[in-house]
Amino acid sequence: MDYHLERGLRLHTRPKYKNLYSWAINEIDANGNRVGEDLIPWAWSLYFIATSCALSDSIDLKTKYGSRDDALPIPEITERQVISVQLRPRDEDYWGSGTKFSMFGTDRAINSFELAIEPLANPAEQENCTAWGSVSYTAEVDFRNSTTDDCVVFYLAVKPDTFARYAAKVAAGSVDEIAFRIGSASGFYAEWSPGISTSSVKVLTRGDEHAVQIPEGLKFEPPRLGEVGAAALYINRRLEFAKRAADTEDDDEPARPGGTVLVAPEPKAAVAAPEPQTLKALRSLKRAAWFIVSLLTLIFLALVLRS
């Protein structure tokens, strides 16, 4: 297995700022010369944003068969549920710039961060968070070389009820964003800073590839990936409400409430009353019409009788 490292590591107890920290780790080149500044454990918070999320529900059956005389074997059943969240470092910190993560001994940016959320096997246990990581390496698999990138994985174990709530949100698609924060995490190093943010973080794994030269006679092991002192998970659901178009062009007019609008019918226009002279003429015409009708009726009857 060939690890992709360019520099070695050395711990020294005579740091640049002795009054601020008592020891530090330096990267060294092939000649043993220091490269870069002193790096000490980073105790402040580090922030990540989710890029994708998946819910995995699996079962694994393993049955061991003995002789034919053995009773029917009982399979060993392993069920597992896990929420896998792909992460990336948050783009901006309090000072407006992001944080670059790289493994000790390299300048490559770590692009693979993952959060695995699982339920506790024993609900009485305390919820906890740990971290694991690996330096990029190339290995021969089935007579072919396979390269694995630098990666860091966080494991968050929560109460079964809490996990069920998270899983229901993911399964229903009721998640718009996930944020993850860690603090006081072993294995993360940076230059000393009076602030609470840093632009560069180095990661020290537990693997043999990250061997650290320790001064002779000193029994000390620098903190490596493992325990995470503080962790916070935020699973958010966001709803955006569309703005209602204004009823008028006057922006100062307050928006009217939505809903069903009932419009009252407009009243019919009132008909003007006729003048008295007009009414008198209409009555005369009415009498003349009745006289003509009566006269025509008499003429018709006379003609009928004569025939």
Side-chain angles (χ1 to χ4, degrees), residues 233-255:
L233 178 67
Y234 306 89
I235 301 179
N236 302 325
R237 174 64 166 161
R238 302 179 62 182
L239 298 177
E240 297 291 340
F241 298 102
K243 295 182 179 180
R244 184 171 179 268
D247 292 333
T248 63
E249 296 181 357
D250 187 2
D251 295 336
D252 296 332
E253 182 181 351

Side-chain angles (χ1 to χ4, degrees), residues 180-254:
F180 184 60
R181 174 178 61 83
I182 61 171
S184 301
S186 298
F188 293 89
Y189 290 74
E191 295 181 27
W192 178 86
S193 171
I196 58 175
S197 64
T198 178
S199 60
S200 178
V201 170
K202 293 282 187 176
V203 178
L204 187 65
T205 70
R206 289 187 173 276
D208 295 336
E209 70 276 10
H210 268 168
V212 180
Q213 298 180 17
I214 306 294
E216 186 177 356
L218 178 63
K219 294 183 178 180
F220 178 77
E221 180 63 30
R224 298 173 180 267
L225 284 181
E227 180 182 358
V228 176
L233 178 67
Y234 306 89
I235 301 179
N236 302 325
R237 174 64 166 161
R238 302 179 62 182
L239 298 177
E240 297 291 340
F241 298 102
K243 295 182 179 180
R244 184 171 179 268
D247 292 333
T248 63
E249 296 181 357
D250 187 2
D251 295 336
D252 296 332
E253 182 181 351

